[in-house]
Amino acid sequence: MERIYYDSKTGNVERFMQKVSELTGWTVQKIQPGMDVEQAGHLVTFTTRFGEIPDTTKAFLQHASSYLLSVSSSGNQNWGRNFAVAGDKIATEYGIPLALKFELSGTNEDVNEFIAIIKARKHHDNKRRSKELDFAQ
């Protein structure tokens, strides 16, 4: 069973994760300050301000990045090149493969694509088990 850690400010990512959880039964856990992470999982977060990683996500990454198999991010297409760019920045800064970028709370197609990417486990041939996952563009 997969574990997903997520960060949500406006509720968009939380709604996305509720859809994923309802369809899969996977464990989804909202990031909380001081939260202990002892199991590998995937991160889903949002992009804030003008293309920045949320502070709560940064704090989480400081102690949990080694447990993360992939990152996905939400954003708003109105921000152009900054659309969901937090996922790109996390992938670059922490070496965590980018799985998916989606708008706001995602469409049903986005939810199904996320589930398919995680289920595909195309990331099993290396240390983090996820370096080959970079699907999102």
Side-chain angles (χ1 to χ4, degrees), residues 46-113:
F46 60 98
T47 301
T48 192
R49 294 183 284 277
F50 297 100
E52 296 179 29
I53 300 168
D55 291 337
T56 47
T57 300
K58 284 183 188 177
F60 175 76
L61 286 163
Q62 286 178 352
H63 69 277
S65 64
S66 64
Y67 289 96
L68 300 176
L69 303 171
S70 73
V71 61
S72 296
S73 62
S74 172
N76 188 318
Q77 298 248 8
N78 291 337
W79 290 105
R81 65 184 176 97
N82 285 330
F83 166 67
V85 77
D88 297 305
K89 290 181 176 182
I90 291 167
T92 299
E93 292 176 29
Y94 294 89
I96 301 169
L98 183 61
L100 181 71
K101 292 164 64 169
F102 58 94
E103 187 165 25
L104 303 173
S105 60
T107 63
N108 287 338
E109 184 178 307
D110 294 330
V111 169
N112 289 329
E113 184 176 0

Side-chain angles (χ1 to χ4, degrees), residues 3-137:
R3 177 174 297 274
I4 315 292
Y5 302 101
Y6 74 93
D7 199 359
S8 185
K9 181 177 182 179
T10 63
N12 284 326
V13 173
E14 190 154 23
R15 283 188 292 280
F16 183 84
M17 293 315 311
Q18 287 171 346
K19 295 174 204 174
V20 169
S21 179
E22 288 172 8
L23 289 171
T24 64
W26 293 345
T27 301
V28 298
Q29 189 172 2
K30 186 171 184 178
I31 294 171
Q32 301 293 327
M35 179 175 133
D36 287 329
V37 175
E38 297 178 357
Q39 294 181 329
H42 303 270
L43 172 63
V44 180
T45 191
F46 60 98
T47 301
T48 192
R49 294 183 284 277
F50 297 100
E52 296 179 29
I53 300 168
D55 291 337
T56 47
T57 300
K58 284 183 188 177
F60 175 76
L61 286 163
Q62 286 178 352
H63 69 277
S65 64
S66 64
Y67 289 96
L68 300 176
L69 303 171
S70 73
V71 61
S72 296
S73 62
S74 172
N76 188 318
Q77 298 248 8
N78 291 337
W79 290 105
R81 65 184 176 97
N82 285 330
F83 166 67
V85 77
D88 297 305
K89 290 181 176 182
I90 291 167
T92 299
E93 292 176 29
Y94 294 89
I96 301 169
L98 183 61
L100 181 71
K101 292 164 64 169
F102 58 94
E103 187 165 25
L104 303 173
S105 60
T107 63
N108 287 338
E109 184 178 307
D110 294 330
V111 169
N112 289 329
E113 184 176 0
F114 175 79
I115 292 167
I117 288 169
I118 300 307
K119 279 184 173 181
R121 307 296 285 197
K122 294 183 181 188
H123 47 280
H124 64 278
D125 291 327
N126 55 56
K127 181 181 175 191
R128 195 187 278 274
R129 296 184 11 231
S130 57
K131 294 292 184 191
E132 303 303 318
L133 193 61
D134 294 325
F135 289 112
Q137 294 299 320

